Amino acid sequence: MINNTIQRELHLPQPREQVWEAIANRDALADWMYPNDFEPRVGHPFTFQVPPKPEVGFEGLIVRCEVLECEPPGWLMFSWSVAGPVENTRVSFRLESEGDGTRLLFEHAGFDLSQPGGKQAFGGAQYGWAMMLEKLTTVLSNQGNQP
Amino acid sequence: MEITSDFEPDVFHAISHRARREMLDQLTDDERSVSVIASHFSMSRPAVSQHLRILLDAGLVTERRHGRERRYRLVPEKLAPVRDWIAHYERFWDDHLQRLQNHLSKKNEK
């Protein structure tokens, strides 16, 4: 009832190997995500450093990740932890060849709406995070109009 | 971080327990009495009532007397804050996946 998994499907004109390079490479990830120290190796811990945006009151944040599964050029999964309900969530990319191009299946799963103990007022933390996300998405959509 | 108070953390707290989420799931199609709800759980009847009380306080269910029993009904619109919160994340990824596509097409122009 409460869907806590985000799924997206993209159809890309680029071949699978090229898409893989864009999702499993530190520099490429920095271009479309954030500065990071990713390595395509299972067990490798890394972070995304989301920079502050003072003009919208966003303080920036660190996303803690770990490579959980990595099977070039078709499958990548890493954990994604920020705070509260976004602790050990799982981000994954499945790449399937589709003619000359690629079908990308994206999933962000495991938002934990069942905090251990249940007594934590994590609504507060969640809301704080939601506000930050909102600012961040606003920032991004403003940037989205630029090449 | 400063948290404003125009939010309903109670809703998040209410759904933070697996049993309470299962109770909500039971109420998606129809209202149910305490005894019917309790029959799905191994916990004691008072424990079930206590969980229902938390859902009631959060406004996620309504309660009405029907003869000698109480019946509970889901108020799905009260879950809006949770849905909205997930929606933020969806927008976040939509933006980033767009950036991924831009990244790939840039590469092709080189």
Side-chain angles (χ1 to χ4, degrees):
Chain A
M1 187 180 68
I2 302 165
N3 183 356
N4 60 353
T5 299
I6 295 167
Q7 290 172 311
R8 291 291 183 267
E9 184 171 325
L10 299 182
H11 298 269
L12 305 163
Q14 294 83 7
R16 191 161 72 141
E17 286 68 21
Q18 197 181 335
V19 178
W20 178 259
E21 269 306 303
I23 64 165
N25 169 290
R26 183 180 299 193
D27 297 336
L29 280 171
D31 189 46
W32 66 272
M33 285 289 291
Y34 304 106
N36 66 90
D37 51 343
F38 175 87
E39 278 178 34
R41 187 161 47 80
V42 172
H44 173 71
F46 65 103
T47 58
F48 283 109
Q49 292 126 40
V50 185
K53 287 269 173 190
E55 63 272 25
V56 291
F58 175 65
E59 296 168 11
L61 61 98
I62 300 279
V63 185
R64 288 165 286 114
C65 305
E66 183 184 323
V67 180
L68 300 173
E69 294 176 23
C70 180
E71 296 164 21
W75 173 247
L76 175 67
M77 190 196 315
F78 50 81
S79 66
W80 175 282
S81 301
V82 182
V86 193
E87 198 64 36
N88 285 319
T89 59
R90 296 173 305 281
V91 173
S92 65
F93 300 84
R94 182 176 299 285
L95 308 183
E96 295 170 356
S97 289
E98 189 178 52
D100 296 336
T102 305
R103 182 162 80 124
L104 183 154
L105 297 164
F106 169 86
E107 196 170 279
H108 190 172
F111 293 105
D112 187 7
L113 303 172
S114 65
Q115 291 285 284
K119 287 282 182 215
Q120 303 173 22
F122 81 101
Q126 240 182 353
Y127 188 46
W129 173 230
M131 283 196 304
M132 286 202 286
L133 267 180
E134 189 162 27
K135 285 170 180 165
L136 194 57
T137 47
T138 308
V139 169
L140 283 169
S141 40
N142 295 344
Q143 286 175 343
N145 307 327
Q146 299 163 14
Chain B
M1 188 192 310
E2 200 175 284
I3 305 298
T4 50
S5 59
D6 60 344
F7 189 61
E8 305 162 70
D10 281 347
V11 173
F12 286 97
H13 170 63
I15 60 165
S16 68
H17 195 290
R18 179 178 299 277
R20 292 197 289 272
R21 291 200 303 281
E22 285 175 7
M23 288 173 190
L24 292 178
D25 285 343
Q26 281 186 51
L27 297 173
T28 48
D29 54 348
D30 197 10
E31 64 173 18
R32 282 190 164 71
S33 66
V34 183
S35 49
V36 170
I37 295 168
S39 68
H40 290 265
F41 293 95
S42 53
M43 68 179 88
S44 69
R45 180 76 177 264
V48 169
S49 293
Q50 206 164 13
H51 282 305
L52 286 166
R53 164 63 48 189
I54 291 169
L55 293 173
L56 197 60
D57 290 346
L60 287 166
V61 299
T62 55
E63 178 188 72
R64 70 178 184 101
R65 288 201 169 279
H66 180 83
R68 292 181 55 192
E69 62 181 11
R70 291 175 179 176
R71 291 193 174 178
Y72 291 87
R73 179 184 291 274
L74 177 69
V75 187
E77 56 271 24
K78 282 286 179 182
L79 283 166
V82 181
R83 201 184 47 235
D84 293 349
W85 184 79
I86 297 284
H88 284 309
Y89 242 115
E90 293 193 313
R91 277 184 53 204
F92 171 85
W93 283 118
D94 284 340
D95 289 336
H96 279 283
L97 292 171
Q98 184 58 55
R99 288 168 60 108
L100 167 63
Q101 293 183 73
N102 298 349
H103 170 88
L104 283 162
S105 46
K106 264 192 318 201
K107 287 270 178 203
N108 276 15
E109 288 162 14
K110 279 182 188 173

